[in-house]
């Protein structure tokens, strides 16, 4: 087999991957991806990840001993889903092409999952609505595979888990206008609907429009899922947590929206 000579230019797939990784890092400021196959001990889609999951569970349990099994199970899911979700959304809306999500390997750092690797390969291209459908379908398959893996290690209820997957997507949809300046609220909601439909998550949460006193409008998330962080941090709820009274939730989300607009 011939050895690639790196004195010469990289092939198109290498160049596309380099551009994608640069884009994810630039747009978010925190995504840290690298080219290549998984390193030893990393989570690999379709691989034997039992040790990875059990070790991450053990670390969570040691860090938050009073939180309980439901919290640890949920954290396994949210830890492993957030990076692929960002990859799918940024690939679709900013980069304009979609890497193969089933090839994303991820690294555990303490009680968190941060850092990923992607091998070079063809990236899907299409018009925006079609790319959302493809990305959403792939991302739902990724989430379903995680549910199967985690459920083999610890109990994870399917409907609450899918609502947390929805919550991640709603958070990303709220950021769309940061990624694509000039987008209207109407377009933002339309695109959110396309993602939720592609992922078969319609009815598990949505965006809603909030009218501010000065006449401005903002989008907020109307969640149905709870991340269970209050089990680790008692008496503390996320501003959008559905466990709160609606009036309390809307007041907190209105205050957050105003603070962000005026920042």
């Amino acid at each position: 087999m011939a050895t690639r000579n790196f004195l010469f230019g990289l092939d198109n797939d290498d160049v596309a991957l380099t551009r994608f990784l640069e884009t994810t890092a630039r747009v978010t400021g925190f995504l840290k991806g690298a080219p290549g196959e998984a390193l030893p001990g990393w989570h690999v889609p379709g691989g034997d990840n039992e040790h990875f999951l059990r070790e991450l569970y053990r670390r969570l349990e040691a860090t938050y001993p009073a939180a309980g099994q439901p919290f640890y199970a949920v954290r396994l899911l949210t830890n492993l889903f957030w990076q692929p979700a960002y990859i799918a959304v940024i690939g679709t809306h900013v980069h304009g092409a979609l890497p193969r999500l089933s090839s994303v390997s991820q690294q555990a750092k303490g009680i968190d999952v941060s850092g990923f690797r992607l091998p070079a390969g063809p990236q899907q291209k299409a018009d925006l609505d079609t790319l959302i459908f493809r990305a959403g379908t792939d991302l739902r398959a990724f989430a379903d595979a995680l549910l199967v893996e985690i459920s083999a290690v610890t109990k994870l209820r399917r409907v609450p888990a899918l609502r947390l997957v929805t919550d991640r997507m709603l958070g990303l949809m709220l950021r769309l206008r940061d990624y694509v300046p000039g987008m209207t609220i109407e377009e933002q909601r339309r695109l959110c609907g396309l993602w939720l439909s592609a992922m078969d998550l319609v009815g598990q949460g949505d965006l809603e429009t909030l009218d501010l006193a000065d006449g401005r409008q903002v989008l907020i998330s109307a969640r149905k899922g709870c991340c269970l962080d209050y089990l680790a941090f008692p008496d503390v709820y996320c501003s959008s947590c559905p466990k709160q009274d609606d009036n309390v939730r809307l007041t907190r989300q209105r205050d957050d929206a105003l603070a962000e607009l005026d920042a």
Side-chain angles (χ1 to χ4, degrees):
M1 179 181 296
T3 301
R4 177 182 292 176
N5 187 338
F6 286 98
L7 293 175
F8 297 98
L10 301 175
D11 65 28
N12 289 339
D13 290 344
D14 291 312
V15 171
L17 177 59
T18 298
R19 288 175 178 166
F20 173 75
L21 295 174
E22 289 174 345
T23 298
T24 59
R26 171 179 55 80
V27 168
T28 65
F30 51 78
L31 271 178
K32 300 183 184 302
E37 303 289 342
L39 298 178
W42 285 39
H43 181 276
V44 181
D48 182 358
N49 297 306
E50 182 177 351
H51 176 76
F52 180 101
L53 294 171
R54 291 192 182 279
E55 176 60 18
L56 185 54
Y57 186 104
R58 184 195 66 76
R59 294 176 188 175
L60 288 164
E61 190 174 31
T63 304
Y64 303 108
Q69 183 275 335
F71 172 81
Y72 312 138
V74 158
R75 276 296 181 95
L76 292 182
L77 174 67
T78 55
N79 256 318
L80 284 162
F81 184 72
W82 78 269
Q83 290 188 121
Y86 269 92
I87 288 169
V89 170
I90 292 172
T92 298
H93 292 279
V94 184
H95 178 65
L98 187 69
R100 190 161 54 91
L101 294 179
S102 60
S103 66
V104 178
S105 58
Q106 302 186 75
Q107 179 184 23
K109 294 181 179 179
I111 60 171
D112 299 311
V113 173
S114 179
F116 67 93
R117 290 172 69 87
L118 276 168
Q123 297 181 15
Q124 297 183 66
K125 293 185 178 181
D127 63 88
L128 179 58
D129 288 14
T130 301
L131 202 55
I132 289 173
F133 175 78
R134 293 176 180 174
T137 301
D138 289 350
L139 199 52
R140 175 58 190 268
F142 189 96
D144 283 341
L146 284 180
L147 290 178
V148 171
E149 281 190 332
I150 295 169
S151 295
V153 169
T154 189
K155 182 179 179 181
L156 181 61
R157 295 169 57 204
R158 182 174 181 79
V159 170
L162 290 178
R163 287 178 174 172
L164 291 177
V165 168
T166 306
D167 291 352
R168 170 57 63 187
M169 299 311 298
L170 295 179
L172 283 163
M173 294 300 100
L174 289 176
R175 299 265 73 85
L176 271 186
R177 287 206 291 177
D178 295 334
Y179 303 152
V180 188
M183 180 181 294
T184 65
I185 283 180
E186 292 74 20
E187 177 67 357
Q188 209 172 348
R189 293 198 68 167
R190 184 187 78 84
L191 295 174
C192 179
L194 290 179
W195 277 98
L196 296 183
S197 178
M199 297 179 69
D200 195 21
L201 294 173
V202 174
Q204 302 299 341
D206 205 350
L207 297 182
E208 62 181 346
T209 303
L210 188 64
D211 296 316
L212 302 179
D214 60 7
R216 289 181 292 180
Q217 290 185 322
V218 293
L219 287 179
I220 60 172
S221 59
R223 297 167 48 195
K224 290 190 175 181
C226 176
C227 64
L228 303 185
D229 274 8
Y230 73 92
L231 295 176
F233 310 100
D235 303 320
V236 177
Y237 291 109
C238 305
S239 61
S240 58
C241 183
K243 286 186 174 291
Q244 302 170 106
D245 177 84
D246 261 0
N247 289 331
V248 172
R249 174 181 66 83
L250 289 172
T251 297
R252 293 184 68 191
Q253 288 182 283
R254 181 178 288 106
D255 291 344
D256 285 353
L258 281 169
E260 187 169 339
L261 284 171
D262 297 335

